[in-house]
Amino acid sequence: MKYLFSPPPVTSAAIVGMAERFPVHRIYCVGSNYRAHAEEMGNTGRDPPVIFMKPVDALLPVEVGAMGRLPYPSLTRNLHHEVELVVAIGEGGADIPVSAAQQHVFGYAVGLDMTRRDRQSEMKKRAGPWCIGKGCEHGAPLGPITPRTQVAQLDEGVIALSINGSERQRGMLAQMIWSVPEIIAHLSAAWRLMPGDLVYTGTPAGVGPVERGDLIEASVSGLEPLCVRLE
Ligand code: MN
């Protein structure tokens, strides 16, 4: 096979305890999935989950024990942090029932849904798509993936984020409006999930701006932490 130009490299993430890497197929994201954050963004109740996607090559994979470098993106003066539990899909499928969802999960990681909040707010007012707010280059930092077999139940525990050592976000996974199995069931009704899909599952309250030079430290109980420096 001859291509007109070199095909893009495969985007991949580190896996804790394995030499193999996790090749990424798609990046799905759930919005407004913790009640307190939904309220701070002006939403209430348990509406159907808000789904959006990020470009696969927006992934900023960070290795075990390393620090990621995030160039401050263009077209924003209000880049926000959102710490999220990320689900890595290992087994694909369509119309997956909630009861079978866990077996489609390869593992979990800590991720950041970096957001041009000013651009997203403009598009919300116009009832337009969020791509310009959510799809920025390097806008999906991701820590190493811990295989599901090495993690206890991930339906409780703390999810938190600090900037320069000062805590900004803290929530409990149990506060998620839509659980991981429910998200998988919902997504797989709309798209056939594939091995390599990542799902960012929403952020707790406390989102806010970051500046050049800031150190973001993000964590979820039982997973490798994620450290990123803004440049
Ligand atoms: Mn988010």
Side-chain angles (χ1 to χ4, degrees):
M1 178 95 57
K2 283 197 170 181
Y3 296 102
L4 184 61
F5 48 83
S6 299
V10 173
T11 299
S12 67
I15 303 171
V16 176
M18 292 178 70
E20 292 88 347
R21 296 186 65 82
F22 184 89
V24 178
H25 175 247
R26 288 180 182 165
I27 303 176
Y28 296 99
C29 303
V30 181
S32 292
N33 200 31
Y34 288 76
R35 199 162 305 281
H37 172 64
E39 286 167 6
E40 78 182 351
M41 300 306 286
N43 309 313
T44 55
R46 198 173 193 250
D47 298 325
V50 173
I51 306 296
F52 59 93
M53 293 190 205
K54 288 176 182 261
V56 171
D57 62 0
L59 195 80
L60 177 63
V62 179
E63 309 306 306
V64 177
M67 186 178 69
R69 293 170 160 203
L70 173 58
Y72 196 93
S74 64
L75 294 183
T76 183
R77 291 182 171 183
N78 196 22
L79 181 70
H80 272 207
H81 56 78
E82 298 189 357
V83 58
E84 312 211 351
L85 170 67
V86 179
V87 178
I89 300 294
E91 185 187 323
D95 296 319
I96 298 166
V98 169
S99 59
Q102 287 289 357
Q103 66 203 50
H104 292 263
V105 175
F106 168 74
Y108 301 94
V110 181
L112 291 169
D113 168 13
M114 301 306 294
T115 302
R116 290 170 169 137
R117 191 71 74 202
D118 38 6
R119 298 288 82 81
Q120 185 200 22
S121 300
E122 285 172 1
M123 294 313 290
K124 278 185 174 178
K125 282 181 197 146
R126 294 165 60 184
W130 294 1
C131 315
I132 193 80
K134 290 293 194 178
C136 56
E137 309 286 16
H138 315 294
L142 185 75
I145 297 167
T146 300
R148 172 168 60 95
T149 51
Q150 295 175 27
V151 187
Q153 282 286 87
L154 257 193
D155 47 12
E156 53 185 27
V158 175
I159 177 169
L161 177 144
S162 68
I163 299 176
N164 304 325
S166 148
E167 188 169 275
R168 301 293 176 86
Q169 288 189 269
R170 171 173 284 259
M172 305 296 293
L173 295 179
Q175 296 166 337
M176 289 171 76
I177 296 171
W178 297 93
S179 68
V180 168
E182 288 172 330
I183 291 168
I184 289 171
H186 182 88
L187 278 176
S188 70
W191 297 276
R192 172 174 291 278
L193 292 184
M194 298 291 286
D197 285 339
L198 295 173
V199 186
Y200 283 62
T201 60
T203 196
V207 300
V210 289
E211 309 289 345
R212 285 187 176 85
D214 282 349
L215 176 65
I216 304 175
E217 295 173 281
S219 64
V220 172
S221 305
L223 300 181
E224 286 288 317
L226 169 62
C227 294
V228 174
R229 175 83 70 183
L230 266 290
E231 295 189 331

